[in-house]
Amino acid sequence: MRRPHPRLLAPAVVLLLATACGTERADPSGGVGAAGPAPRAAVTDPPVDGVRITSVTIPTASPTPSASPGLVHADPLPGDSGVFAAYQVTNDGDEAMTYTVHFDFTTDTGAVMADKKVTVAAVQPGRSTSGTVRLGVLAPGASPVTRVKVAEVTKVPADEAPAETGACPSSGVRLWADDGDAAMGLRVVGLHLQNCGKRDYALDGYPELSLLDDDREPVEGVRILRGGAAVASGTGFDDPPGPLVLKPGESALSGLVWRNTTQAGTAVNVPYVRVLAKPGAAPVTVTPGLDLGTTGKLGVGAWKRADR
């Protein structure tokens, strides 16, 4: 079961790209593990969709901290909590996948003090990639973090992964979804498109959407309606479509609009949305986590030039 959409409820999620393999090493400058590589006890929690935490480092001021299975104690860097976890992503499928992983940093009682998001790009079939995720600076007054867990994993084919940064895709455009906004049960997520190529890119109309479940199979019974006003007015995605030409470096914006109202019937959650910027465009699969409730509808705005 997917947890409530954290990107809508807490937009200030930290993004860390983990595209290279490796493990945390000693810091000769006197930071974490400065006295030498710290021994790491194995963490035995089972993997979540191919992602598992292999060790957790928790700082302590005590010179002789008590032993905790799966934890390593070290002095934190100045201004930093010093809490981090090593993880491993294993692709047991038959195609390269890009993973987005949410890690929860929690107290002993399970209260979440921070949610960190890691994107691990293009993990090849049968291969594993390792990395670390850091808590960073803990908010003033927050309770001590003692545990790290894998809270949610989404994965999309590597050739359909969103590309907000990095090398320009072969299509010549980037397409990604933002963290969205929520108020009184109304959800709005922006779809961003940037022409990162060398030629003009023409748009005229609405992005084409396919709604997919956890197995990336089609979701039935949801109407995709044109214009945000089909769900709610004042979302900024009510304008009719019109021709738009993006020169290299220019951007366009569309949006997904829905309500999470739940009445009679079974609530529908849609983890994946495959997007075509226009007919014939290369597909991009985004993960907005549509909690559609029992409304059975999703509004999509026409492409418009993004504000500069």
Side-chain angles (χ1 to χ4, degrees):
M1 178 182 296
R2 292 169 61 83
R3 63 179 179 165
H5 197 295
R7 285 150 285 181
L8 296 175
L9 302 179
V13 169
V14 175
L15 175 65
L16 178 151
L17 295 179
T19 57
C21 299
T23 57
E24 193 75 13
R25 297 188 180 276
D27 181 354
S29 66
V32 174
R40 293 193 174 194
V43 173
T44 58
D45 292 342
V48 177
D49 289 340
V51 182
R52 69 184 184 94
I53 294 175
T54 57
S55 69
V56 176
T57 296
I58 302 292
T60 178
S62 171
T64 56
S66 58
S68 300
L71 300 182
V72 174
H73 293 266
D75 294 329
L77 295 170
D80 186 273
S81 68
V83 178
F84 66 92
Y87 63 85
Q88 184 180 69
V89 179
T90 300
N91 182 359
D92 291 327
D94 56 7
E95 63 178 320
M97 303 293 289
T98 289
Y99 292 72
T100 299
V101 187
H102 283 262
F103 293 91
D104 280 350
F105 290 74
T106 76
T107 65
D108 275 333
T109 61
V112 178
M113 294 295 102
D115 165 26
K116 302 296 183 179
K117 184 173 73 173
V118 173
T119 298
V120 185
V123 182
Q124 298 301 311
R127 302 295 296 273
S128 295
T129 295
S130 299
T132 56
V133 56
R134 291 183 174 272
L135 171 60
V137 178
L138 193 60
S143 299
V145 167
T146 59
R147 300 177 182 176
V148 186
K149 68 177 183 178
V150 178
E152 182 182 60
V153 178
T154 55
K155 52 187 179 183
V156 302
D159 59 1
E160 295 185 12
E164 183 176 355
T165 60
C168 185
S170 59
S171 64
V173 296
R174 306 183 193 279
L175 195 155
W176 70 95
D178 63 29
D179 292 331
D181 196 7
M184 299 296 290
L186 176 65
R187 316 297 206 207
V188 181
V189 166
L191 293 178
H192 300 257
L193 183 147
Q194 181 190 47
N195 180 359
C196 56
K198 299 180 179 180
R199 300 179 180 179
D200 291 353
Y201 192 82
L203 294 167
D204 188 1
Y206 300 83
E208 297 184 0
L209 309 179
S210 298
L211 308 185
L212 308 177
D213 63 16
D214 283 310
D215 297 320
R216 293 187 301 283
E217 296 293 333
V219 173
E220 306 293 342
V222 177
R223 293 177 296 155
I224 299 176
L225 307 175
R226 293 188 166 185
V231 175
S233 61
T235 63
F237 296 108
D238 302 338
D239 295 338
L244 176 64
V245 177
L246 300 179
K247 296 188 177 300
E250 293 184 334
S251 300
L253 178 66
S254 175
L256 306 179
V257 182
W258 74 97
R259 292 191 182 276
N260 71 336
T261 306
T262 300
Q263 296 177 338
T266 302
V268 175
N269 294 301
V270 179
Y272 300 99
V273 179
R274 181 175 285 127
V275 182
L276 301 183
K278 60 181 179 180
V284 174
T285 298
V286 297
T287 56
L290 308 179
D291 54 342
L292 299 174
T294 56
T295 61
K297 61 183 182 181
L298 172 69
V300 57
W303 287 116
K304 62 180 180 179
R305 191 174 299 277
D307 294 336
R308 297 177 182 233

